[in-house]
Amino acid sequence: MEAFKPHLSGLSAYPYKKVEAPIKLDQNESPWDLPADLKERALSRMRETPWNRYPDMHAEAVRALVARHQDWPEEGVVVAPGSNFLVLALALAANRVLDTVPSFAFYEGAARLAGTPFEAVPLSEGFGLPAEALLARMGAPAGVLFLAVPHAPTGALFPEAEVRRLAERAREKGWLFAVDEAYFQFSGTDHRGLARENPSVVLLRTFSKAFGLGGVRAGYLLARPEVAGKLQAMLPPFDVPAHTAAVLATVLEAPERAREAAARLVAERDRMIAALGRHPSWVAHPSRANFFLVRTPDAEAAWKGLLEAGVLVRRQDHLPGLKGCLRVSVGTPAENDAFLKAAAALR
Ligand SMILES: *Cc1c(COP(=O)(O)O)cnc(C)c1O
């Protein structure tokens, strides 16, 4: 392996072990496939697209659609095959990466892969935003601060005033503040206003969650044109497949479908958290996303007990501050009932 850069010597593949179970509440996916009529429309678009031809070099048509939909200048939009690629591009470009802990694992993963210096600040009590500690680290050299809002994997939503303070510091010190809005449809929040006012704010969004397109691979970034142009230049040409473009054009014609699905999941999330309030030993944390954390006396036993009942959730107890925690994605009402029934029988 002498051919490879030394910083890659400790690198290993993303630690996800696939487990089969009838009820899959472990990846924050939408429990519903794309409705059949939309799938049919996307398929006919695919049929009409020549498969022998390369797609747009930089997904120009999809960018234009996203720009129109998001009321954002086209030069400020970057579309990629998953927002993970945009995280990677940001981490590659950055002098340094600042993160919270626990956090979405790929911010650190991308920084390690890029060989970019990485620092993370623990969340404060009750999964709060450690604003002072983050502000204190935002000096020279400038870098990129990643923050999922609502936060992952805690589901917590931070006070807007604190988010704004971080954005202000980013502007003062030349940092970029990447607000990852992977779950914004479930929290009813939207940082486009902040990003319009403050050119240091970059938004990351995905089609994998509320749009129910985890298998299609698409995400986008909204930023000022200068930043978007640089990140676009870092992505390989033709990276958004014609098939993905066909699906995105279809779902963007009917965005109310994603809104309705998100509203149903929000109601289910709140129902599940309320029901767990009656559990003798498990404590569900409040969440504004399509998942929530539940603290159990023994994460391994709880995880196994749920799996025996056919329900797969994600262990998070290896993360700092998350002892005993499982992360539960919100599923269909029937799946959620099965989870609640299994949980009620466990201690
Ligand atoms: C699921 C998720 C994403 C989505 O990544 P894609 O590559 O677009 O599927 C991004 N950020 C966070 C915090 C997530 O949880």
Side-chain angles (χ1 to χ4, degrees):
M1 300 293 263
E2 295 89 73
F4 290 171
K5 295 187 179 78
H7 81 264
L8 296 175
S9 63
L11 194 72
S12 46
Y14 187 73
Y16 177 70
K17 195 167 156 285
K18 193 162 176 145
V19 177
E20 297 293 340
I23 297 175
K24 192 171 177 317
L25 304 181
D26 70 326
Q27 279 190 296
N28 301 346
E29 298 151 320
S30 169
W32 298 292
D33 194 357
L34 197 64
D37 60 322
L38 292 186
K39 227 179 192 180
E40 204 43 57
R41 247 192 269 168
L43 285 169
S44 64
R45 271 205 167 86
M46 283 182 202
R47 272 186 220 102
E48 288 155 18
T49 307
W51 292 14
N52 58 322
R53 302 295 176 197
Y54 277 98
D56 287 351
M57 169 103 73
H58 293 306
E60 280 79 359
V62 176
R63 277 170 67 193
L65 268 181
V66 170
R68 184 145 43 82
H69 256 272
Q70 299 303 319
D71 191 19
W72 198 264
E74 206 171 314
E75 317 76 60
V77 179
V78 185
V79 180
S83 52
N84 280 335
F85 279 84
L86 298 162
V87 169
L88 181 58
L90 282 162
L92 276 166
N95 293 311
R96 52 197 285 217
V97 164
L98 183 57
D99 191 5
T100 55
V101 61
S103 183
F104 181 55
F106 194 61
Y107 304 146
E108 177 169 2
R112 304 265 177 237
L113 183 55
T116 302
F118 175 86
E119 261 186 294
V121 174
L123 292 182
S124 51
E125 201 54 35
F127 302 148
L129 185 64
E132 293 307 325
L134 290 170
L135 290 167
R137 281 171 179 73
M138 292 171 75
V144 174
L145 164 63
F146 285 103
L147 187 70
V149 184
H151 190 258
T154 65
L157 194 62
F158 304 123
E160 202 48 36
E162 291 187 5
V163 173
R164 286 186 164 265
R165 271 175 77 209
L166 290 172
E168 271 316 304
R169 178 64 56 95
R171 197 212 302 247
E172 284 160 28
K173 301 289 182 182
W175 280 63
L176 283 184
F177 180 16
V179 179
D180 188 341
E181 297 194 296
Y183 301 101
F184 81 105
Q185 295 97 332
F186 308 106
S187 57
T189 51
D190 181 346
H191 288 87
R192 278 178 299 174
L194 179 61
R196 273 193 201 99
E197 283 167 31
N198 185 329
S200 294
V201 175
V202 167
L203 304 182
L204 293 169
R205 292 177 168 190
T206 180
F207 286 95
S208 300
K209 308 286 159 59
F211 274 96
L213 295 176
V216 170
R217 309 307 303 131
Y220 62 93
L221 171 143
L222 304 179
R224 66 180 201 254
E226 186 194 3
V227 170
K230 184 64 76 185
L231 294 167
Q232 183 69 77
M234 294 174 64
L235 294 170
F238 315 113
D239 62 338
V240 178
H243 298 159
T244 297
V247 179
L248 298 187
T250 304
V251 298
L252 288 175
E253 282 174 356
E256 71 284 357
R257 302 292 191 91
R259 271 198 297 276
E260 288 156 13
R264 287 202 293 269
L265 290 171
V266 164
E268 280 295 297
R269 172 195 72 204
D270 294 345
R271 177 176 79 89
M272 291 170 88
I273 292 175
L276 283 169
R278 296 184 286 274
H279 197 284
S281 55
W282 292 16
V283 177
H285 287 276
S287 167
R288 297 291 297 274
N290 67 337
F291 61 84
F292 60 88
L293 287 179
V294 58
R295 205 179 285 271
T296 71
D298 179 345
E300 186 179 1
W303 184 85
K304 282 188 177 150
L306 289 169
L307 190 61
E308 278 164 23
V311 182
L312 178 63
V313 300
R314 184 77 77 92
R315 282 180 68 168
Q316 299 283 288
D317 55 304
H318 58 288
L319 296 172
L322 300 190
K323 192 165 178 287
C325 284
L326 303 176
R327 193 193 68 198
V328 184
S329 309
V330 179
T332 64
E335 290 173 336
N336 301 335
D337 284 342
F339 163 82
L340 289 171
K341 182 160 179 259
L346 296 166
R347 293 293 174 265

